[in-house]
């Protein structure tokens, strides 16, 4: 893979999405709760001026308490702390934690809490996972604030996930993703006493796009970038996703990629899947994909929740979006598109490690699956637009 190939991909995807690429970033891969949570908590403790946290999942448990206490301590020492929780995804949080944070000075808001007079609004959530500290350090990926993510990702009950720590100009894009949702709950976008919009310099040498997806009909920027990346692949596509329910177009693009000689590998949850009905919604696509030569692997040790894609060893996509209709049309999402061979090599190495803990679906065996499985697939197929 040459630098020219990376540059061509960068130019093409920038043109397709219309989102500029920022240079001079540093991005660090964080694997599973055992690495992700300590890094995020350390950034909270080190913050001097501001913390912005946006998440879909914030459930009751030990790690939720740790975050609430850390955020509260930061607010008490004068840091402006803003927390935005999705009104559906985080509804099971211990309300005592909400009161604890607010009592200590945390500005906590709810994103689109369900309302009986607006039932359709409940279907459009913010699924973004963003934290920005001091306008300089950003985090994003797949992890939620819940005990399910604690641990090493390959033990029973310890969900497998990937997050990243980002410094550089691309942090501005994560901040914008936070503000895009925050403004629905608070009209003040910035405070001149706190927000200084600093120069980021060049802490690294990585080119990054920050792609935000919004709830809208048709294709949004995230679906455009993913589909374009599949179309540009010439050697290999590797997809890790928690919820794989592709539409006709994405399925067709993956099949076409395999037909032109691209190695296509899908890594998805196995027996640890937390939403079996969503799993069924994607399984009716397996026959078509397997017939085309696409490899489909089921992760065995625990729930696989990461959202990662790499293409040709040159570009990596990581963030909150899954490969389903909900992520491309119904929910607010954020992805990083990273043009750096070293970063992609890390993600590919993790993929190889995960394959060692996975089982490949055999085409001949899949063709012999039972009638009840086939019927369930057809039922769930009808519900795919809501998955």
């Amino acid at each position: 893979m040459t630098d020219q190939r990376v540059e061509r991909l960068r130019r093409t995807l920038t043109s397709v999405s219309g989102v500029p690429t920022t240079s001079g970033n540093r991005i660090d891969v964080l694997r599973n709760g055992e690495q992700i949570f300590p890094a995020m908590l350390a950034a909270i403790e080190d913050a001097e001026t501001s913390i912005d946290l946006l998440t879909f999942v914030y459930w009751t448990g030990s790690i939720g308490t740790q975050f609430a206490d850390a955020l509260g301590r930061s607010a008490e020492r004068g840091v402006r702390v803003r927390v935005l929780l999705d009104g559906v995804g985080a509804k099971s949080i211990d309300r005592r934690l909400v009161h604890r944070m607010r009592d200590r000075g945390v500005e906590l808001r709810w994103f689109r809490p369900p309302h009986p007079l607006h039932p359709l609004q409940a279907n459009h959530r913010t699924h973004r996972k963003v934290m920005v500290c001091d306008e300089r350090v950003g985090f994003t990926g797949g992890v939620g604030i819940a005990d399910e993510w604690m641990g090493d990702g390959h033990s029973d009950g310890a969900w497998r996930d990937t997050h990243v720590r980002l410094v550089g100009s691309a942090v501005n894009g994560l901040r914008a993703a936070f503000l895009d949702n925050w403004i629905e709950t608070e009209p003040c976008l910035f405070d001149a006493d706190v927000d200084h919009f600093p120069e980021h310099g060049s802490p690294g040498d990585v080119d990054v796009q920050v792609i935000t997806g919004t709830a809208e009909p048709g294709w949004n920027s995230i679906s455009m970038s993913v589909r374009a990346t599949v179309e540009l692949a010439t050697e290999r596509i590797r997809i890790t996703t928690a919820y794989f329910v592709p539409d006709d177009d994405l399925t067709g693009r993956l099949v076409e990629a395999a037909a032109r000689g691209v190695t296509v590998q899908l890594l998805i949850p196995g027996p640890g899947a937390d939403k079996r009905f969503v799993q069924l919604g994607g399984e009716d696509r397996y026959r078509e994909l397997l017939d085309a030569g696409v490899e489909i692997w089921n992760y065995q040790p625990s729930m696989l929740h990461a959202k990662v894609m790499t293409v040709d060893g040159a570009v990596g996509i990581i963030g909150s979006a899954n490969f389903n209709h909900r992520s491309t049309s119904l929910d607010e999402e954020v992805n990083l598109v990273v043009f750096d061979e070293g970063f992609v090599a890390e993600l590919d190495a993790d993929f190889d490690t995960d394959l060692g803990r996975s089982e490949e679906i055999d085409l001949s065996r899949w063709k012999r699956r039972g009638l009840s499985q086939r019927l369930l697939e057809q039922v769930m197929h009808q519900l795919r637009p809501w998955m």
Side-chain angles (χ1 to χ4, degrees):
M1 184 58 59
T2 66
D3 291 341
Q4 289 80 9
R5 171 65 173 159
V6 176
E7 177 61 18
R8 178 177 176 272
L9 284 165
R10 187 194 65 78
R11 290 199 311 270
T12 304
L13 292 176
T14 299
S15 298
V16 166
S17 66
V19 177
T21 301
T22 65
S23 301
N25 300 282
R26 174 179 171 179
I27 185 166
D28 300 311
V29 180
L30 302 172
R31 302 164 184 86
N32 307 313
E34 64 180 4
Q35 293 182 4
I36 297 166
F37 291 142
M40 293 179 71
L41 289 168
I44 291 171
E45 297 288 0
D46 291 342
E48 297 178 350
T49 57
S50 65
I51 299 168
D52 292 330
L53 174 64
L54 163 63
T55 186
F56 177 72
V57 167
Y58 196 132
W59 295 336
T60 297
S62 171
I63 196 63
T65 301
Q66 291 180 51
F67 268 80
D69 288 341
L71 292 165
R73 285 192 298 271
S74 293
E76 287 177 332
R77 66 173 188 270
V79 177
R80 185 197 62 197
V81 181
R82 299 186 293 191
V83 174
L84 183 59
L85 305 180
D86 185 79
V88 172
K91 66 180 179 180
S92 64
I93 188 175
D94 186 337
R95 296 300 164 136
R96 291 173 295 182
L97 294 182
V98 173
H99 298 314
R100 185 185 304 180
M101 283 189 275
R102 284 176 168 166
D103 288 346
R104 299 174 76 176
V106 174
E107 300 175 43
L108 189 149
R109 305 281 190 274
W110 291 95
F111 182 81
R112 299 178 187 169
H115 193 288
L117 297 181
H118 304 285
L120 294 180
Q121 191 182 67
N123 204 31
H124 298 287
R125 314 311 317 159
T126 182
H127 193 246
R128 296 171 183 170
K129 289 91 175 173
V130 172
M131 189 174 81
V132 177
C133 296
D134 290 344
E135 307 174 78
R136 294 184 179 276
V137 181
F139 295 83
T140 195
V143 78
I145 311 301
D147 286 357
E148 281 78 354
W149 278 272
M150 297 179 72
D152 57 15
H154 52 80
S155 303
D156 185 32
W159 288 14
R160 169 74 182 92
D161 218 326
T162 302
H163 231 57
V164 293
R165 180 183 185 273
L166 177 68
V167 291
S169 298
V171 172
N172 292 336
L174 293 182
R175 177 192 181 127
F178 171 86
L179 289 175
D180 179 50
N181 290 160
W182 178 261
I183 196 171
E184 288 196 26
T185 69
E186 168 60 57
C188 180
L189 281 175
F190 58 87
D191 182 342
D193 293 329
V194 179
D195 301 298
H196 303 296
F197 306 100
E199 293 283 346
H200 291 277
S202 298
D205 57 3
V206 178
D207 292 344
V208 179
Q209 282 181 301
V210 183
I211 309 288
T212 54
T214 57
E216 59 189 22
W219 292 7
N220 61 23
S221 296
I222 282 182
S223 61
M224 284 277 286
S225 64
V226 166
R227 293 162 204 252
T229 306
V230 169
E231 190 168 325
L232 290 166
T234 60
E235 298 175 8
R236 185 171 68 183
I237 299 169
R238 307 181 108 178
I239 294 172
T240 302
T241 186
Y243 308 112
F244 181 72
V245 191
D247 59 16
D248 293 342
D249 180 85
L250 181 55
T251 302
R253 288 174 190 265
L254 293 172
V255 168
E256 289 170 5
R260 64 176 185 266
V262 177
T263 299
V264 182
Q265 298 172 300
L266 304 177
L267 178 59
I268 53 184
D274 69 323
K275 294 181 174 65
R276 175 58 181 153
F277 70 96
V278 176
Q279 197 175 33
L280 283 163
E283 286 179 349
D284 74 316
R285 299 290 192 182
Y286 287 8
R287 172 66 182 271
E288 181 180 359
L289 292 166
L290 291 168
D291 275 338
V294 174
E295 298 177 23
I296 305 176
W297 296 76
N298 285 142
Y299 189 70
Q300 297 297 306
S302 62
M303 170 59 186
L304 176 72
H305 196 262
K307 301 95 167 56
V308 177
M309 175 179 176
T310 67
V311 168
D312 292 350
V315 59
I317 300 177
I318 184 167
S320 65
N322 290 292
F323 286 74
N324 60 354
H325 181 73
R326 175 158 291 282
S327 283
T328 57
S329 298
L330 298 178
D331 289 345
E332 313 273 311
E333 304 279 9
V334 63
N335 275 355
L336 302 183
V337 183
V338 183
F339 304 94
D340 183 79
E341 290 175 296
F343 174 76
V344 175
E346 279 197 70
L347 297 181
D348 279 337
D350 289 345
F351 191 94
D352 288 331
T353 299
D354 289 336
L355 285 191
R357 301 186 174 104
S358 304
E359 291 185 2
E360 187 174 5
I361 296 177
D362 178 74
L363 174 59
S364 60
R365 183 177 178 182
W366 185 254
K367 289 178 179 179
R368 298 194 301 271
R369 68 195 187 282
L371 178 61
S372 60
Q373 165 77 18
R374 296 170 187 265
L375 291 174
L376 285 171
E377 289 171 16
Q378 291 304 308
V379 171
M380 292 300 107
H381 177 86
Q382 305 304 316
L383 301 177
R384 278 174 39 229
W386 292 274
M387 294 181 181

